[in-house]
Amino acid sequence: FTESRALLEGRDKPPGPNLAEQAAIIRHHLDMVQNLYGERKAITYFRKFAAGYVRRHPERKSTLLRFMACKTRADVEDVISQSY
């Protein structure tokens, strides 16, 4: 949203979020999905968003594969902790 806002206001595109900022957003999104669906369904549902989240990651492919293998919240937290 920061990039979109800057471009709409005629400013230069700001740098993208760093890995720590990305991790915070991923966790926030996962919290919201888990509150709606419960852990089991949330993890399955959440994995489809992983491709978008890893788009800016320096180790995109391996991180995406690790997200796709997640079955629990703890699995997702491990990927975030180790990759972000």
Side-chain angles (χ1 to χ4, degrees):
F1 293 112
T2 303
E3 292 174 1
S4 297
R5 186 178 312 123
L7 294 174
L8 287 171
E9 294 172 354
R11 295 183 282 124
D12 289 338
K13 181 179 170 184
N18 63 37
L19 291 178
E21 292 168 329
Q22 292 175 47
I25 293 298
I26 292 169
R27 283 188 174 105
H28 179 69
H29 187 183
L30 183 57
D31 287 341
M32 290 188 305
V33 172
Q34 188 170 346
N35 286 338
L36 284 173
Y37 298 111
E39 181 177 351
R40 185 171 177 218
K41 186 173 179 182
I43 300 307
T44 303
Y45 181 77
F46 181 79
R47 288 188 308 215
K48 73 180 183 176
F49 295 101
Y53 283 124
V54 300
R55 194 176 88 229
R56 296 177 188 236
H57 196 282
E59 295 175 7
R60 178 181 171 198
K61 187 174 182 177
S62 63
T63 304
L64 178 60
L65 291 174
R66 292 182 63 219
F67 271 128
M68 292 297 121
C70 292
K71 299 208 184 311
T72 66
R73 172 73 186 239
D75 294 341
V76 176
E77 290 291 343
D78 284 345
V79 173
I80 294 169
S81 295
Q82 294 172 11
S83 298
Y84 289 86

